[in-house]
Amino acid sequence: MNPVQEVLDRIETGSAASLVAFLHGLNDDDRRAVARHLPAHLSERRRAGFEAERRIWELAPLYRLAGAACLSGAEQVASWLNRRELSGVEPKADAVQVMSVLGNRPLEWRRDLAVRLVRRLRPAPSGSTWRRVQSLRAWDLAAALVIETGVEPPENDAFVSGWVLRTVERHWMNNGIPVLADDRLLDHMLPRLFQAAGVADGLGWNPPWEGSRTIISELVELARTGRVPRQALLDGCVSRFLTGCDAAEAASFIKLWRALKPEAAEIPVTDFVRVLPSASSPLVQLALEELHRAESAGALEADLFAEAVQALAYRPEKKNMAAAVKWIADAPPARGAAAVAALAPVFDVDTPSLRERAVRVAVKLAPHTAEPDKEAVREAATRLPTDLRQRLAAAFGMVDEAEPEPMATVLTVPALPALPPPIVSVAELAAELDKPLWPQDPARIERVLSGLVELTHEDRDAVVAGLQPWWRANWQLPFEARAYAYGISGTDENIGFLLWRCALAIVSPSNSRELTALLNDDSSRWPSSEPAPQQFVQQRFREVLSLLERDETVPVLLATPTAPTGHVDATTLVARMERLGGADPLEYDFLQALLRLSRRIDPELAVRAERLPSEAGRRLAACLRDGGLPDPVVTWELGAFDRPASYHQSLQEAHARLAPPEGVPGPLAELWTLAPKTGYPAFSRNMVWWPSIMPSHREALAAHLLECLPSSGPVEVVAALAHNAGPAGIATASTIVVAMNHPSPAQRGLAADAMLTLVAYGELPAADLGRAVGHMVCGEQVKLNRITGVLDEVTAAGAHAHVWAALAQAVPLLLPGSGERARPGLGELLKVAVRAAVLAGARDDLPGLAELAARKGSSLLVHEARRLHETISA
C-alpha cells in the first residue's frame, strides 16, 4: 500500500468518513510520508490552472483533515489550516471533523495548536452583524480546541469578537433563548469584552423577536443571579469609557450601564468627570446624567463640579456649552462662583443668546467670585462686544478692549510652473507621444505639436523612422480606417487624439487622409456640441493635420506659448514670422498667436514687423501698433431660463453676452460672439484649454466660462483665469461666484485662491463681485452658506478690504425688507462683514442695515446687524 496515494485518492473521492477512517489507521512512518508529499502536491495542483484551483476549493475540507492528521508540528498544522486556498469550508462542520483527527495528539501539543490558531485569527470584515457572522472562518476550530484543552487563550481581539458574533448567531438560531449561562468560554471572555475592538455591534444587536434576550440583557440577568460579578460589568464599562471609544463603539456599553441601573453610590464620579473633555456625544450625555444623580446624592465635590463644567464649556458643541452655563446658573451661588471661570470660553461663542446668558450668569455670581477667577473673566471679556463688555466691567472691574488681530496686508502672486524646454530630438518626441493623453495638459500638448512640426520640417524621414515603434504600438496594423472612424467619431474632438492624428499624418499620410475623409463625411458625423473656444482650438490642430496630410511643412508654429499663462512674447512672434519668410502662416495658428500677445508691446516691434514681406506680416504690424487685438464688448444680464427638469432650476441666472469689435477676422468674430440659450446649458470637458486661448482677454474668457461652469464645474479653470490679463469686470466676478458655489470644499478653496491672486495683482473687481453675489444669491443660482465660507477664508488671508468692498455692495441686496423673512445664513454673512469692516476700518451707510439693527430680538442676524451698524457708523 502506498499511503500517500491512498490519502490522495480518498481526498479525490470527496468522502470525509472514508478519509478519517484511513487516517486513524496510519502509523507514524505513513503520516510522515504524507506530510512530506502533501504540501508539494497541493502547490503543484494549484499551478495546473483555474479548474484545478476550483477543485482544490471543493476538496478543501479533506485536504485540511489530511494535513491536520499528518503534519507533525503545531506550527505546521496551524499554517496548513490557515492556507487561503483551503479556507472555503463550513466552519462548524470543519471544526468537528478536524477535532476528530486530533484526538490522539498529546494534550500539550493540542494546547500549543489552540494558542497558535487563536493568535492567527483576523477580525471579521466590516458590514452588517449578520454578514460578519457569515464571514467567520477559523474561529470555531480555535474555540473548540480552547474548550477541549482548557488552555488560557492569548489576547486577540478577533477571538473575542468572534465569540460575540457566534453568540449572536446562537440567539438568532434559538429565537432569542438565553445561551450564556452554560457557555464554556464566558469566564474567559468576560474581562476581554471591555478591552477588545470589534465587539460593539454584536453586543448591541437587537433580535427581531419581542421579548428575546440579547447578550446585554443576559449579562444583566447573570449579574442578578450572581453567575457574573455585577461590579466586573460596571468596572468594565467605565474602563471602556475611559479608552476614548467613538459613539458607535460606546453605544453598547452605555446600554449595558443603563440596564444595570447602578445606584448613586456606585457611580465613579471622578471617572465620569475625566471623560467629559474628549468623549463622544452619547457618552457625554450619560456622564452628565450620572453626575447630576451623584450631585443630588451629595457625591459630587465642589472641585469636581468645577472641573466638569469647565470640560463641558471647552467642548466644541454648543449644546454642551449651554449645558455648562445652565449647570452653573442652577448651582448655589457659592458653588457656581467657584466655577465661574468656566464661562470664559463661552464668551467667544458665535451664538449671541448663549454668549449673553453666560454674561448674565457671570454678573449674578460676581459678588461671590474670588479675585483669581475674576481676573480670568476680565481677560476673556476683552473679546466681547462693547455692550456685554461694559456689563461685565460694571460687575468685575475694568475690562480692556482686545487689540484687533494682526492681518497680512501684502499678498503675493503664486508662481506658475515654468514651461519645459522645446523638444529638439526625434527620440524625445517619440517618448512624449508614448505618454498617456489623459489628463489633458495643454502646455505639454502644445510642446509636442511644436516639436512635431519643427522636426518634420527639418527632416521628415527621420521623424517617420523614429515614430515607427509608436505607430506599431498604438495603431491597429494593417490599418483599418473604418474601424477607427466608427469607433472614435465621438472622441475625434479630443485635442490629445488630434495630436495623435497629426503624428499619424507624418508616419502614414495615406492612412491619415482616408481616416479624415471618413470622419468628415457629413452623413455620419455628428455636429460639434463644443462651445466656440474649444472649436477654435480644434480648428488650429486640424489645420496642422491638413498641412501634414498634404506632405507640406512649415518651419515653426507661431502660437506655441512662451509663458505658463499661454502668452506669446511679441518679440518671439516677430522672430517666428521672420522664419516663415514670405510664406503665409496657417490662419488659425496666426490668429491664436495674436490672441496670445501680451497687452504690453514695445512700439519698436511694429517697425520691425512692417519689414515682413507677407500679408500676414502687415496684419501683425498693424496689431502691434494698436497694442494688440481690441477687446470684444461684454454685457451682463440676469434672466430666467427654461431648463430641463433634471437641471437645477434657479429663479434667475447670471449670463454675459459677447459682441466682436468691427473688423476682426471671421474666426475671431465667431469666438467673440456669445448669447445665452435656454434648454441645457453649454457643456465642455475641455475647459482646461480655454485660459491659454485668450490670456489677454480675461473678461471675454469669463463670459464663455460663465455659460459652462454651472454644469461642468472644474474650478481649476477659474484659478487659471485669475492669472490672465485684460479687463476684469462683472463677468469675471460672476465666474468666481459660481466657483465659490461648488459642492466640494476643495474646489471652493480654488475659488478663494482665484480671488487672492486677483487681489495680489490689484485687479479684483470687488464691487462687481459684491453685486454678483447679491443678485445670484437672490436668484437662487448659488447658495449663501458656501459663498460665506469662501469670503471668510479670503478675509482671514488678508484681503479684508476687498471683501468689505464686495460686501458693501452685496449686503443691501440681501437684507430683508419690511415684513420680509430673512434669508437663511444671512447672519453668518453679516458676521464676515463685521470682521472685514473692523480690519479694513470701514465707515459706510448701507441701505436697510439700520432698520434691521433696530429690530427686537437676540437672533444671530439681528445681533450681527447691530454689530455691523455700530462698526461702520462709529
Side-chain angles (χ1 to χ4, degrees), residues 446 537 540 559-561 566-569 589 591-598 629 689 692-697:
E446 289 272 13
V537 180
R540 176 167 172 253
T560 303
H567 281 99
V568 172
D569 174 69
D589 186 45
L591 294 177
Q592 176 65 94
L594 298 185
L595 281 169
R596 286 176 169 168
L597 282 172
S598 169
L629 292 171
W689 279 91
S692 63
I693 299 173
M694 296 179 273
S696 291
H697 301 274

Side-chain angles (χ1 to χ4, degrees), residues 590-644:
F590 177 70
L591 294 177
Q592 176 65 94
L594 298 185
L595 281 169
R596 286 176 169 168
L597 282 172
S598 169
R599 298 183 77 90
R600 297 187 182 91
I601 298 174
D602 182 355
E604 293 298 321
L605 283 175
V607 177
R608 179 177 165 186
E610 287 173 350
R611 294 195 291 269
L612 293 168
S614 64
E615 172 62 25
R618 289 186 287 276
R619 292 166 63 190
L620 174 61
C623 182
L624 294 175
R625 279 196 304 272
D626 295 339
L629 292 171
D631 288 300
V633 178
V634 183
T635 55
W636 185 84
E637 63 186 47
L638 290 164
F641 286 79
D642 185 17
R643 300 297 190 195

Side-chain angles (χ1 to χ4, degrees), residues 83-150:
R83 290 183 70 144
R84 185 182 299 275
E85 65 269 28
L86 300 182
S87 63
V89 296
E90 199 292 309
K92 296 176 193 174
D94 176 73
V96 172
Q97 290 179 347
V98 173
M99 290 294 289
S100 72
V101 300
L102 294 177
N104 61 348
R105 301 277 195 170
L107 176 62
E108 287 304 317
W109 186 96
R110 283 178 284 137
R111 285 184 168 180
D112 186 16
L113 177 61
V115 169
R116 293 177 186 276
L117 290 178
V118 170
R119 285 176 176 160
R120 286 172 177 263
L121 291 175
R122 295 293 178 265
S126 60
S128 67
T129 301
W130 188 240
R131 286 190 62 186
R132 295 185 68 209
V133 168
Q134 292 178 313
S135 71
L136 291 177
R137 287 284 185 266
W139 184 87
D140 296 272
L141 178 57
L145 280 166
V146 168
I147 293 170
E148 194 239 8
T149 63

Side-chain angles (χ1 to χ4, degrees), residues 461-714:
D461 290 340
V463 174
V464 172
L467 295 187
Q468 288 302 307
W470 168 83
W471 158 244
R472 290 191 297 269
N474 294 283
W475 296 85
Q476 178 182 336
L477 299 177
F479 190 84
E480 291 288 343
R482 289 191 177 277
Y484 284 105
Y486 295 138
I488 66 172
S489 58
T491 61
D492 187 43
E493 296 183 344
N494 178 273
I495 301 303
F497 192 77
L498 285 172
L499 174 67
W500 265 28
R501 288 186 58 205
C502 289
L504 173 66
I506 297 169
V507 176
S508 182
S510 60
N511 289 149
S512 181
R513 287 191 290 266
E514 182 184 5
L515 177 57
T516 298
L518 288 173
L519 289 170
N520 290 343
D521 184 357
D522 292 337
S523 63
S524 61
R525 187 179 183 87
W526 289 91
S528 176
S529 60
E530 285 282 3
Q534 196 62 24
Q535 291 192 42
F536 187 87
V537 180
Q538 293 166 357
Q539 287 299 107
R540 176 167 172 253
F541 276 72
R542 287 196 174 105
E543 72 177 2
V544 174
L545 171 63
S546 178
L547 173 83
L548 297 172
E549 286 182 342
R550 298 193 304 268
D551 286 332
E552 298 176 10
T553 63
V554 290
V556 64
L557 290 178
L558 302 178
T560 303
T562 59
T565 55
H567 281 99
V568 172
D569 174 69
T571 303
T572 302
L573 176 56
V574 173
R576 288 172 178 173
M577 286 286 291
E578 290 170 343
R579 288 180 62 185
L580 291 179
D584 286 325
L586 300 173
E587 180 65 7
Y588 276 87
D589 186 45
F590 177 70
L591 294 177
Q592 176 65 94
L594 298 185
L595 281 169
R596 286 176 169 168
L597 282 172
S598 169
R599 298 183 77 90
R600 297 187 182 91
I601 298 174
D602 182 355
E604 293 298 321
L605 283 175
V607 177
R608 179 177 165 186
E610 287 173 350
R611 294 195 291 269
L612 293 168
S614 64
E615 172 62 25
R618 289 186 287 276
R619 292 166 63 190
L620 174 61
C623 182
L624 294 175
R625 279 196 304 272
D626 295 339
L629 292 171
D631 288 300
V633 178
V634 183
T635 55
W636 185 84
E637 63 186 47
L638 290 164
F641 286 79
D642 185 17
R643 300 297 190 195
S646 59
Y647 184 77
H648 169 66
Q649 188 80 32
S650 57
L651 298 177
Q652 286 187 318
E653 297 176 13
H655 291 278
R657 293 177 179 268
L658 285 179
E662 292 184 5
V664 296
L668 290 185
E670 293 177 10
L671 179 64
W672 283 346
T673 299
L674 178 66
K677 300 175 182 177
T678 58
Y680 279 109
F683 176 83
S684 178
R685 292 187 178 90
N686 303 298
M687 286 190 289
V688 66
W689 279 91
W690 298 8
S692 63
I693 299 173
M694 296 179 273
S696 291
H697 301 274
R698 184 190 285 128
E699 189 77 345
L701 172 59
H704 280 292
L705 293 177
L706 189 57
E707 292 303 297
C708 294
L709 272 177
S711 58
S712 301

Side-chain angles (χ1 to χ4, degrees), residues 407-409 794-806 835-841:
M407 297 293 295
T409 56
V794 173
T795 300
H800 40 271
H802 298 80
V803 172
W804 170 250
R835 184 181 185 189
V838 168
L839 294 171

Side-chain angles (χ1 to χ4, degrees), residues 126-202:
S126 60
S128 67
T129 301
W130 188 240
R131 286 190 62 186
R132 295 185 68 209
V133 168
Q134 292 178 313
S135 71
L136 291 177
R137 287 284 185 266
W139 184 87
D140 296 272
L141 178 57
L145 280 166
V146 168
I147 293 170
E148 194 239 8
T149 63
V151 70
E152 178 71 22
E155 298 288 342
N156 186 348
D157 290 357
F159 188 60
V160 183
S161 64
W163 176 79
V164 171
L165 293 171
R166 278 290 183 244
T167 304
V168 167
E169 183 185 33
R170 290 163 66 195
H171 277 126
W172 184 283
M173 302 303 293
N174 295 324
N175 294 335
I177 295 174
V179 297
L180 280 185
D182 299 324
D183 191 299
R184 296 174 65 182
L185 287 174
L186 176 61
D187 294 330
H188 285 302
M189 295 297 103
L190 188 61
R192 305 183 189 192
L193 273 179
F194 305 99
Q195 304 165 3
V199 302
D201 56 346

